[in-house]
Amino acid sequence: MDEIVLMSDPQVAAIGIQECGEALVDVRLSALLVDGSRSDAEGAFAHLREGVLERLLAAQAGLPEGLRLLVVEGYRPPALQARYFEEYAAALRALNPAWSADEVRAGASRYVAPPEIGPHTAGAAVDITLADAGGRELDLGTRTNATPEESQGACYTAATNISQRSHELRRVLGTALASAGLVNYASEWWHWSYGDRYWALATGASAALYGPCPLPRQAR
């Protein structure tokens, strides 16, 4: 497996942000399927930047017949991002008491981006999978948001310890999303983004288009 540039890598933080001011929009008002398992009182989970949604719709149009995109989570408030990161970091410290603070931070960033980097807080990232024509979620090898520990590394996009069918579905998902301009975080097969710092690093863009942003008032 190729070496993965982690979200905690200084290269990511070094990318500047030239905020374009694009609005967050509600994906539930689009033609995409939305999984409500991570819903919240404000509906934050179902919001993405307009440009990200446009690219997801283009990706869905490119899928083979009988397949649909299923959005699991988009925007994440900064406080929630920080909580997720600290909870996972604490779990790693307990499992690996000899790890240094830097090792814990790097290990945690395989699964949750550091709060100051997190593309979900910019509305730029989406956790996404595939469903059949009837809206039933398909098996892509692990549940979305499976940790490296619980999945024995099967959460990595290029993992080999999954079925041939799951591998093929990951390939189909990846081809459609990459063709629409999104990039994958290779330790999470379900995590794709556009316009954030990680996207800028992966594509060679001079700056990110989206930085952390608040949820629209009307969505609260």
Side-chain angles (χ1 to χ4, degrees):
M1 193 178 299
D2 293 338
E3 184 178 353
I4 297 171
V5 177
L6 296 174
M7 289 282 185
S8 60
D9 194 299
Q11 295 178 84
V12 182
I15 298 291
I17 300 172
Q18 294 181 359
E19 173 61 57
C20 67
E22 203 172 87
L24 282 170
V25 293
D26 194 333
V27 179
R28 294 170 294 186
L29 303 179
S30 75
L32 297 178
L33 292 172
V34 179
D35 180 339
S37 62
R38 290 187 225 165
S39 62
D40 57 277
E42 297 179 332
F45 83 106
H47 284 73
L48 289 168
R49 296 287 190 134
E50 287 178 321
V52 180
L53 176 56
E54 289 171 3
R55 284 163 176 78
L56 293 182
L57 292 170
Q60 178 158 275
L63 288 173
E65 186 175 353
L67 294 179
R68 298 184 66 184
L69 295 177
L70 176 61
V71 173
V72 179
E73 185 178 19
Y75 177 76
R76 191 179 293 159
L80 183 59
Q81 183 73 28
R83 193 189 93 198
Y84 284 167
F85 186 83
E86 288 306 321
E87 287 176 349
Y88 187 50
L92 288 180
R93 278 192 292 269
L95 286 171
N96 306 280
W99 280 13
S100 67
D102 286 345
E103 288 172 321
V104 170
R105 178 179 165 82
S109 74
R110 297 170 303 162
Y111 178 63
V112 186
E116 68 277 12
I117 297 296
H120 280 285
T121 65
V126 62
D127 293 342
I128 195 162
T129 186
L130 290 173
D132 64 18
R136 292 175 291 269
E137 184 175 349
L138 298 174
D139 181 8
L140 272 70
T142 74
R143 68 178 182 90
T144 57
N145 255 24
T147 68
E149 290 77 24
E150 73 179 82
S151 69
Q152 298 182 315
C155 60
Y156 285 71
T157 306
T160 57
N161 56 334
I162 59 174
S163 70
Q164 184 58 40
R165 175 59 175 163
S166 294
H167 176 76
E168 175 61 17
L169 289 172
R170 289 188 188 188
R171 186 195 65 78
V172 170
L173 177 68
T175 297
L177 293 170
S179 295
L182 286 87
V183 300
N184 174 238
Y185 189 44
S187 64
E188 302 177 339
W189 61 261
W190 58 84
H191 178 106
W192 290 79
S193 67
Y194 171 83
D196 61 300
R197 285 167 157 173
Y198 201 82
W199 164 86
L201 181 65
T203 62
S206 58
L209 305 176
Y210 310 132
C213 61
L215 188 67
R217 182 167 299 175
Q218 64 269 24
R220 296 177 185 275

